[in-house]
């Protein structure tokens, strides 16, 4: 299993750790069925080409969930980040499998920039007819409080949350720290001196640093241009530790370039059962760790007709039961959030809770410019 993770993620390590850190606008179009390999190999997906449309349905008769009215033509999926990153990889896999059950080709377009807000705004400006799909990252929930743009999850209908990409606290192979306890003890003894790299303010890695601060562990947070650069800074000995996503980390664990100290979660990963959960050492962190810090979601405009939403939900359910999807989830050690929240009320509660934790965490620590209260976001537990 671990070797499979390493193979499927090796190319991604040269790109940004977290999709929310993309800062330059780009647009790349490809047809999902023609880019399965490109999604897995990441950098190959960056070519500015549009693949040939699928001409045959691969599924046997009876698998389609399409109706006579939808979909009747090819669809477009917007990935609001650059090619090859976490959001791109999962979005492309979703698109390939959706084609099987919708009976239409899906052109995947990378439209990055401004923490994903450029591509998201583009989708919002398209007709609400279900022909323009969006796979977004967790920054959608913080755009308003971070004063990036006026969009939020409530501007879209969530077809389904997809996965969480677990984050792992790691040190370099030559680090003096061999356990999380040793690292935390040193942070306590030397407040503000132990260095932690991350991929930029407001990103999932930075949010983890804020959680450490809330728990009484004051670290010196150092921003790098990308998650990969933040990881290389640890490998090169420039900083003491960092917290990359497992989807970009597997190869480095296999090679021994890093020592994983803990999964930033309340649960261990099935693929790496020897890596302890953070809560095993710091039980009081539980209230911060019952949510995924890198969260991917499949959404459409919020005024899309219900009959279209129903078809997309039915197609998604088919995808989530497809062995190709479930094998991909396991191979990438992803948190199957799509399994946990399937009803509309539960999905809404999940996103409301996510915003309550993250938006207030950022605001209370001076990262977010606007108060969550301004947008009706309550503090967790209130």
């Amino acid at each position: 299993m671990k070797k499979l993770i390493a193979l499927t993620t090796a190319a991604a390590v040269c790109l940004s750790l977290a999709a929310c850190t993309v800062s330059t606008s780009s647009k790349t179009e490809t047809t999902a069925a023609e880019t399965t390999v490109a999604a897995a190999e990441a950098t190959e997906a960056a070519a500015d080409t549009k693949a040939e449309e699928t001409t045959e349905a691969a599924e046997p008769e009876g698998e389609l969930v399409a109706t006579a009215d939808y979909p009747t033509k090819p669809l477009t999926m917007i990935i609001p980040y650059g090619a090859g990153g976490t959001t791109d990889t999962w979005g492309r896999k979703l698109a390939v499998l959706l084609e099987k059950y919708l009976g239409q080709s899906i052109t995947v377009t990378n439209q990055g920039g401004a923490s994903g807000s450029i591509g998201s705004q583009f989708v919002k400006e398209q007709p609400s007819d279900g022909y323009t799909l969006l796979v977004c990252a967790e920054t959608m929930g913080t755009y308003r409080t971070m004063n990036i743009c006026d969009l939020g999850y409530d501007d879209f209908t969530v077809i389904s949350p997809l996965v969480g990409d677990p984050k792992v606290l790691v040190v370099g192979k030559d680090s003096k720290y061999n356990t999380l306890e040793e690292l935390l003890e040193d942070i306590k003894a030397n407040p503000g001196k132990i260095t932690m790299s991350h991929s930029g303010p407001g990103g999932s890695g930075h949010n983890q640093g804020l959680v450490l601060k809330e728990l009484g562990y004051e670290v010196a947070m150092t921003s790098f241009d990308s998650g990969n650069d933040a990881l290389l800074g640890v490998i090169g000995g420039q900083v003491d530790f960092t917290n990359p996503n497992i989807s970009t980390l597997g190869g480095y664990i296999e090679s021994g370039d890093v020592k994983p100290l803990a999964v930033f979660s309340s649960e261990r990963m099935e693929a790496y059962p020897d890596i302890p959960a953070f809560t095993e050492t710091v039980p009081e962190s539980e209230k911060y760790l019952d949510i995924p810090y890198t969260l991917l979601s499949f959404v459409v405009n919020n005024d899309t007709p219900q009959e279209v939403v129903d078809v997309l939900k039915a197609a998604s359910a088919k995808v989530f039961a497809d062995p190709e999807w479930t094998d991909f989830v396991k191979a990438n050690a992803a948190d199957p959030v799509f399994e946990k929240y399937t009803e509309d009320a539960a999905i809404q509660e999940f996103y409301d809770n996510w915003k309550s934790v993250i938006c207030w965490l950022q605001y209370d620590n001076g990262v977010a410019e606007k108060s969550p209260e301004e947008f009706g976001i309550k503090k967790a537990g209130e």
Side-chain angles (χ1 to χ4, degrees):
M1 177 69 74
K2 295 181 182 179
K3 290 183 178 179
L4 180 57
I5 296 171
L7 288 173
T8 57
T9 61
V13 298
C14 63
L15 295 160
S16 173
L17 167 66
C20 63
T21 62
V22 176
S23 60
T24 58
S25 179
S26 62
K27 187 173 182 179
T28 303
E29 295 184 359
T30 49
T31 302
E34 300 295 325
T35 57
T36 308
V37 174
E41 295 181 351
T43 54
E44 296 298 324
D48 293 327
T49 59
K50 182 175 181 179
E52 296 179 1
E53 293 184 356
T54 305
T55 58
E56 296 184 77
E59 281 299 295
E61 187 176 354
E63 288 294 322
L64 296 180
V65 299
T67 67
D69 298 321
Y70 176 83
T72 59
K73 62 182 180 180
L75 299 86
T76 297
M77 176 182 286
I78 300 298
I79 308 293
Y81 309 99
T86 298
T87 311
D88 182 63
T89 297
W90 285 97
R92 288 178 184 275
K93 175 58 70 173
L94 176 66
V96 167
L97 295 176
L98 282 174
E99 287 182 336
K100 293 171 61 175
Y101 302 110
L102 292 176
Q104 293 287 345
S105 64
I106 300 177
T107 298
V108 179
T109 301
N110 295 94
Q111 195 165 336
S115 296
S117 63
I118 291 177
S120 299
Q121 184 64 51
F122 173 82
V123 173
K124 189 60 189 172
E125 293 170 356
Q126 303 311 301
S128 299
D129 54 10
Y131 287 95
T132 306
L133 315 174
L134 175 66
V135 171
C136 62
E138 72 284 345
T139 46
M140 176 66 74
T142 62
Y143 283 151
R144 292 168 178 163
T145 51
M146 290 289 289
N147 201 25
I148 293 174
C149 69
D150 292 331
L151 292 177
Y153 282 120
D154 55 352
D155 288 301
F156 299 89
T157 293
V158 178
I159 302 301
S160 178
L162 295 176
V163 296
D165 195 350
K167 300 190 77 65
V168 181
L169 194 153
V170 300
V171 296
K173 64 180 180 180
D174 298 322
S175 172
K176 65 181 181 179
Y177 306 116
N178 294 303
T179 66
L180 178 62
E181 291 90 341
E182 292 176 355
L183 174 62
L184 294 180
E185 286 175 5
D186 206 17
I187 293 173
K188 278 285 192 180
N190 300 279
K193 294 183 179 179
I194 309 303
T195 53
M196 186 205 84
S197 58
H198 63 89
S199 58
S204 55
H206 186 231
N207 290 338
Q208 286 181 260
L210 299 181
V211 170
L212 289 176
K213 182 180 178 181
E214 290 286 303
L215 295 170
Y217 299 98
E218 187 77 37
V219 299
M221 289 192 277
T222 303
S223 178
F224 281 67
D225 289 337
S226 70
N228 186 60
D229 288 339
L231 178 56
L232 293 178
V234 168
I235 293 173
Q238 296 168 297
V239 288
D240 294 309
F241 74 99
T242 190
N243 35 43
N245 295 95
I246 191 62
S247 67
T248 64
L249 187 62
Y252 287 125
I253 294 177
E254 293 294 322
S255 67
D257 287 318
V258 298
K259 292 187 287 186
L261 302 186
V263 185
F264 204 71
S265 171
S266 57
E267 300 177 353
R268 295 194 181 202
M269 294 181 292
E270 181 180 345
Y272 290 94
D274 294 334
I275 303 176
F278 192 86
T279 51
E280 293 176 33
T281 300
V282 189
E284 61 270 29
S285 65
E286 175 74 33
K287 66 179 181 179
Y288 296 105
L289 301 185
D290 61 349
I291 59 170
Y293 274 69
T294 299
L295 171 66
L296 306 182
S297 304
F298 174 31
V299 308
V300 292
N301 278 341
N302 62 353
D303 49 356
T304 300
Q306 186 60 47
E307 55 268 26
V308 172
V309 171
D310 290 343
V311 170
L312 290 172
K313 283 181 175 289
S316 297
K318 289 275 192 180
V319 168
F320 300 152
D322 193 308
E324 186 175 343
W325 174 266
T326 55
D327 288 348
F328 193 72
V329 171
K330 291 180 180 178
N332 286 278
D335 178 9
V337 183
F338 60 90
E339 292 181 346
K340 303 174 183 178
Y341 308 98
T342 57
E343 301 298 327
D344 288 343
I347 290 173
Q348 183 65 52
E349 183 179 358
F350 167 69
Y351 283 97
D352 286 345
N353 180 62
W354 191 95
K355 290 186 294 183
S356 293
V357 174
I358 299 299
C359 292
W360 279 101
L361 177 69
Q362 293 178 342
Y363 182 71
D364 287 342
N365 284 278
V367 175
E369 292 186 23
K370 296 185 176 182
S371 171
E373 191 173 16
E374 181 178 340
F375 306 102
I377 301 173
K378 297 181 180 179
K379 277 193 173 184
E382 291 185 354

